[in-house]
Amino acid sequence: EVMALAKMFGLYSREVAFYQTYRDVGIPKPKCFFSCCSEDGTRMVLLLEHLAPARCPSWRPTLAEIELALSHLPAFHAKWWNATGLKEQACLIPTKDTIFAGSFAAAAAAADQVLAIGGQNSQIAVTCVVAVNSKIEKWQAYLDSRDYTIVHADYHGKQMFMPSTEGGKFSI
């Protein structure tokens, strides 16, 4: 199932494309020494810089680590704000991606099941998904007309390295 999802969403090919495209992304990241992805998108190899003795805070970063992570975002977003050609990059998911629209359609189709399982706790989310799905093309056009930048969808402690008492540096 993981391979099917990776292939369907292009996860491995997008990850490899990210490292091949962005040597200086504007936020600290490990150096990439080698990257490749199979043609079918089900296998990849990334040879990245070893970041020890930095530590990964997992789901429990300290307040200081959260502040450090947030301090890198303004320059990162400013670097890519409305950058020419950014929307066409292979590692990014365009707003008019069929998988993006299909995800809303599938979620809307499962609305009754989600409500049956989640009850009132899921009502607002289901209402939003159904509404967006009913106007997906308008919504995609609206998003496409707005300012844009790179958004790191996994900007959380499990995807970060923080300096430790032994040394190391911040990196995503």
Side-chain angles (χ1 to χ4, degrees):
E1 289 182 13
V2 172
M3 288 299 176
L5 286 173
K7 185 175 180 176
M8 183 173 83
F9 288 108
L11 299 179
Y12 294 161
S13 57
R14 289 183 200 280
E15 186 80 4
V16 166
F18 174 82
Y19 282 99
Q20 290 174 344
T21 304
Y22 301 108
R23 300 231 187 281
D24 176 18
V25 74
I27 198 165
K29 66 176 185 57
K31 291 177 191 151
C32 181
F33 300 109
F34 178 80
S35 62
C36 69
C37 186
S38 62
E39 285 188 32
D40 68 357
T42 61
R43 292 169 300 203
M44 73 167 182
V45 174
L46 287 174
L47 181 58
L48 302 175
E49 169 187 15
H50 185 57
L51 296 173
R55 70 177 209 89
C56 177
S58 192
W59 296 116
R60 299 196 66 176
T62 66
L63 180 57
E65 290 171 335
I66 292 168
E67 289 172 344
L68 176 61
L70 291 176
S71 74
H72 288 278
L73 291 179
F76 170 68
H77 287 300
K79 178 176 181 146
W80 298 105
W81 198 258
N82 290 331
T84 304
L86 184 61
K87 289 183 180 181
E88 289 77 39
Q89 295 299 319
C91 58
L92 304 176
I93 300 173
T95 57
K96 293 189 178 176
D97 190 283
T98 55
I99 294 171
F100 191 66
S103 297
F104 273 96
D112 289 339
Q113 291 171 308
V114 172
L115 287 171
I117 294 168
Q120 286 300 112
N121 293 332
S122 58
Q123 182 64 52
I124 293 172
V126 168
T127 300
C128 291
V129 166
V130 169
V132 168
N133 183 62
S134 72
K135 298 179 181 181
I136 191 71
E137 289 178 9
K138 273 183 144 176
W139 187 65
Q140 288 173 312
Y142 169 75
L143 289 177
D144 215 30
S145 72
R146 310 257 314 154
D147 291 329
Y148 56 93
T149 187
I150 293 178
V151 175
H152 191 300
D154 285 333
Y155 203 72
H156 56 78
K158 288 187 87 59
Q159 299 287 343
M160 297 178 188
F161 290 87
M162 300 288 179
S164 70
T165 55
E166 292 83 33
K169 61 183 180 179
F170 172 81
S171 185
I172 60 167

